[in-house]
């Protein structure tokens, strides 16, 4: 039996702190470093032919690109599924995400504070690695005992 898992970025929760940049700054999104292990669909649950289970996680990425924290997210955008096995899927999700590494996010700025359409493209750009938090949604599915993990429908794809 084979399963799969999909992932997508999710809008940050209400009230999340948002980075404010001025005209002399730009932001480079962190990139996941290969290999990226997706969560494993729990093999012993495949014979149960469960309905899809969708879970979210908040991932804190350090300025060095390491996952410093990963916690399950439950809110209006990421409801708690009515599934007796949600905790098993959550454990698989958190285990996988905690092992991810990233090329760090960067805040670039022009050294003299001059405005720039893309400060990261300037020859004299000053790049500062920065920590941030991202939210992802995973969908665990199976069909005829074959597992699958995929992106949440309608959400932008991750890296």
């Amino acid at each position: 039996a084979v399963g799969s898992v999909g992932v997508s970025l999710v809008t940050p929760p209400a009230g999340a702190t948002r980075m404010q940049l001025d005209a002399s700054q730009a932001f480079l999104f962190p990139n996941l470093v290969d290999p990226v292990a997706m969560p494993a669909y729990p093999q012993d649950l495949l014979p149960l032919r469960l309905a899809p289970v969708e879970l979210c996680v908040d991932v804190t990425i350090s300025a060095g690109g390491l996952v410093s924290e990963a916690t399950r997210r439950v809110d209006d955008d990421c409801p708690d599924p009515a599934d007796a096995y949600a905790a098993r899927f959550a454990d698989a999700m958190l285990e996988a995400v905690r092992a991810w590494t990233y090329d760090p996010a960067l805040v670039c700025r022009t050294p003299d504070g001059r405005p720039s359409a893309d400060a990261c493209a300037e020859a004299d750009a000053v790049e500062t690695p920065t920590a941030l938090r991202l939210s992802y949604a995973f969908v665990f599915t199976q069909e005829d005992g074959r597992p699958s993990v995929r992106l949440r429908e309608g959400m932008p794809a991750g890296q």
Side-chain angles (χ1 to χ4, degrees):
V2 177
S4 69
V5 179
V7 64
S8 64
L9 286 170
V10 180
T11 304
T17 303
R18 297 182 187 267
M19 187 178 298
Q20 300 295 320
L21 301 175
D22 64 35
S24 70
Q25 296 176 309
F27 178 75
L28 279 180
F29 203 78
N31 289 314
L32 277 165
V33 176
D34 285 329
V36 178
M38 290 294 286
Y41 194 107
Q43 292 293 306
D44 61 313
L45 298 181
L46 286 171
L48 301 178
R49 306 283 202 261
L50 300 172
V53 175
E54 183 175 310
L55 300 171
C56 295
V57 62
D58 283 332
V59 180
T60 303
I61 305 163
S62 72
L66 300 176
V67 173
S68 60
E69 184 178 7
T71 56
R72 186 165 166 207
R73 175 179 164 186
V74 177
D75 58 25
D76 289 344
D77 293 326
C78 295
D80 195 9
D83 185 286
Y85 300 100
R88 296 280 309 283
F89 291 105
D91 289 345
M93 174 182 69
L94 292 169
E95 180 181 350
V97 168
R98 287 177 177 140
W100 289 0
T101 58
Y102 294 79
D103 290 327
L106 299 174
V107 173
C108 306
R109 67 174 175 78
T110 57
D112 55 4
R114 72 184 178 279
S116 174
D118 182 2
C120 294
E122 298 287 336
D124 60 349
V126 176
E127 298 177 343
T128 304
T130 188
L132 79 154
R133 183 177 67 182
L134 298 176
S135 294
Y136 294 94
F138 290 88
V139 180
F140 294 79
T141 60
Q142 64 78 35
E143 185 174 332
D144 297 327
R146 291 186 305 261
S148 173
V149 183
R150 60 178 173 75
L151 295 172
R152 173 195 268 186
E153 295 297 321
M155 296 304 299
Q159 288 77 16

